[in-house]
Amino acid sequence: MNIQWANGVSGMDNPAVNDVLKIIQRNDIISFAGGLPSARSFPIKELAAAFHSTLLEEGAAALQYGVANGYEPLRSWVAERLQKQGIDCKPGNIIITNGSQQVLDLACRLLVNPGDAIAVENPTYLAAIQVFKGAQANILPVPVDAYGMNIDELAKVLQREKPKFIYVNPTFQNPTGVTMTVERRQQLAQLAAKYQVPVVEDNPYGELRYDGTPVPPIKSFPGGEWVLYAGTISKIVAPGLRIGWMAAGEEFIAKMASAKQISDVLTNSLTQRALYRYLCNHDIDNHIGTIVAQYKEQRDSMLEAMKAFFPAEVTWTIPDGGMFIWATLPENIDTTKLLPEAIKEKVAFVPGAPFYSDDTGQSHNTMRLNFSNSTPDMIYEGMERLGRLLKAHVR
């Protein structure tokens, strides 16, 4: 068929995402490629009970259409939790979405015309790049260092450009694992208000903290009215539920609900009600504590194994939480070319290149390593295999 595709279709296709999905489905490979939570952390029995009782007690309502904004009790739960984190919001400031990924798509639908600019961290979440390219946006990369997005460089961008929004993943960033400092968060909120440019604050990993003190959301600082805050249940309960949310002003939430009605009508009513029932009947903070203890052990195992097996020429981040470690290799190693060799050794990672929105060449010698979906024994064995390969290339 000679189909005439829309202009934005070419930006939607991301071979790196497809490659990751293929790798993580192979049982014979120790994979540090996917950004998967550990299935050992899923509260399967508790969720089964929640779905069962929801169907028995709320069956007709749970299986009926609902409002695009989401199940009101669940929106209230989200608003109350965000208030505890310093965000001033009410249920009317919340919309329930199909994961926080849908927030990015709907934000583009509302704000971005083809050719409009979006300022993003560089590197950044590769599926966000995929969404923005699908919207035919002009992506403006802003460098990331050990303290998050470089706000001085962002200020320069804002002085010469007018992006439709600024996208940041400030806490345990995907892919680098770094966390934006309090000072930079304050500055970012101030810049957003000064230039009247919204910020999409994507925070899927913030509750997975292993060391240090929690950092307030950007939305909690003066200027926070310009911040659109995205969260999700995926990393603290289960990603298959596909429940996320956005916190924003009521006008923006109303526009978002209209866009969502066009997109998918509403987020699954049964799942929203069952999730709310689960949250009411169980201590989510205790559950998160169990996950944090498990992931901390896995992170520490990976850091120790990297120190033991990687050549001295390789450096890496030491994240205080989240799910990723970002490694930088010597200039002569191209991780995209290295990946097929690693797969032959039955170990996998994600090359750094897809996380960069520009073609500066700085990305070729980086890789993202995920520790949340592997046991300490698997991590030890996988790092030993990868370390042997890296040493051979360094030599």
Side-chain angles (χ1 to χ4, degrees):
M1 295 175 62
N2 186 23
I3 297 175
Q4 299 298 308
W5 302 110
N7 291 337
V9 170
S10 61
M12 296 178 186
D13 187 26
N14 191 325
V17 175
N18 296 331
D19 290 344
V20 169
L21 293 175
K22 291 177 183 177
I23 291 169
I24 63 179
Q25 291 173 358
R26 289 184 55 174
N27 295 326
D28 62 328
I29 290 178
I30 298 176
S31 176
F32 306 121
L36 302 180
S38 170
R40 293 183 294 153
S41 70
F42 298 161
I44 295 173
K45 292 181 179 179
E46 294 85 352
L47 286 172
F51 274 92
H52 181 70
S53 58
T54 298
L55 278 171
L56 287 179
E57 299 174 26
E58 307 176 60
L63 297 175
Q64 188 55 277
Y65 283 111
V67 296
N69 298 59
Y71 183 49
E72 198 280 335
L74 182 59
R75 291 161 57 209
S76 296
W77 182 90
V78 173
E80 182 179 348
R81 192 160 187 86
L82 294 185
Q83 287 169 5
K84 293 177 181 178
Q85 297 173 13
I87 296 176
D88 182 18
C89 66
K90 300 177 177 62
N93 300 117
I94 304 296
I95 184 170
I96 304 298
T97 59
N98 279 299
S100 57
Q101 183 74 12
Q102 190 180 42
V103 170
L104 306 183
D105 178 59
L106 295 179
C108 285
R109 289 172 185 248
L110 293 178
L111 298 174
V112 180
N113 293 312
D116 285 344
I118 301 173
V120 306
E121 300 161 310
N122 203 38
T124 192
Y125 173 43
L126 62 85
I129 296 175
Q130 193 174 7
V131 173
F132 303 154
K133 286 185 176 180
Q136 302 178 64
N138 175 28
I139 300 177
L140 306 175
V142 181
V144 170
D145 59 25
Y147 308 103
M149 176 184 270
N150 188 315
I151 302 302
D152 291 337
E153 292 299 319
L154 174 65
K156 294 176 183 177
V157 169
L158 296 177
Q159 287 167 9
R160 66 175 185 266
E161 304 270 1
K162 178 74 177 195
K164 284 302 184 73
F165 63 83
I166 302 161
Y167 173 72
V168 291
N169 175 200
T171 307
F172 316 134
Q173 193 231 21
N174 181 358
T176 65
V178 303
T179 296
M180 185 184 290
T181 62
V182 171
E183 181 182 14
R184 289 193 181 184
R185 290 169 189 247
Q186 292 173 321
Q187 293 171 343
L188 178 52
Q190 291 168 359
L191 281 177
K194 177 181 177 180
Y195 289 97
Q196 298 189 344
V197 175
V199 173
V200 175
E201 179 180 7
D202 192 4
N203 187 28
Y205 311 104
E207 303 223 46
L208 302 178
R209 174 171 286 278
Y210 318 132
D211 298 312
T213 304
V215 184
I218 298 167
K219 189 166 178 59
S220 68
F221 292 103
E225 67 273 12
W226 283 93
V227 178
L228 314 172
Y229 181 92
T232 180
I233 212 74
S234 292
K235 308 304 185 295
I236 59 174
V237 180
L241 297 176
R242 304 313 303 137
I243 299 293
W245 53 80
M246 169 179 274
E250 291 188 7
E251 180 183 8
F252 197 92
I253 292 297
K255 294 291 186 183
M256 181 79 82
S258 296
K260 183 170 171 58
Q261 285 173 334
I262 296 171
S263 175
D264 62 6
V265 183
L266 75 157
T267 300
N268 187 292
S269 295
L270 172 60
T271 301
Q272 288 188 72
R273 289 171 180 263
L275 173 63
Y276 177 69
R277 187 174 289 252
Y278 164 79
L279 293 170
C280 288
N281 294 334
H282 299 87
D283 186 341
I284 186 63
D285 291 311
N286 183 63
H287 176 68
I288 293 171
T290 301
I291 297 173
V292 165
Q294 176 184 324
Y295 288 1
K296 183 180 189 301
E297 179 186 13
Q298 292 165 212
R299 180 209 60 175
D300 292 346
S301 295
M302 181 168 282
L303 291 172
E304 291 169 7
M306 292 172 76
K307 186 176 180 180
F309 299 121
F310 278 23
E313 292 83 357
V314 178
T315 61
W316 53 84
T317 59
I318 303 178
D320 289 333
M323 297 166 55
F324 306 109
I325 294 171
W326 184 248
T328 302
L329 282 57
E331 287 286 334
N332 67 299
I333 300 178
D334 186 330
T335 55
T336 300
K337 297 178 180 178
L338 184 70
L339 180 58
E341 297 183 46
I343 292 176
K344 290 180 181 178
E345 299 296 326
K346 305 298 184 182
V347 63
F349 57 86
V350 181
F355 298 98
Y356 288 84
S357 59
D358 58 359
D359 297 315
T360 60
Q362 63 179 313
S363 62
H364 75 277
N365 63 324
T366 54
M367 66 169 65
R368 190 194 73 178
L369 298 166
N370 166 258
F371 53 79
S372 60
N373 195 38
S374 303
T375 65
D377 288 343
M378 290 170 62
I379 290 170
Y380 189 89
E381 175 62 27
M383 289 293 101
E384 186 176 22
R385 295 177 190 178
L386 187 55
R388 286 198 303 267
L389 184 61
L390 292 176
K391 287 177 180 177
H393 277 265
V394 168
R395 294 194 187 108

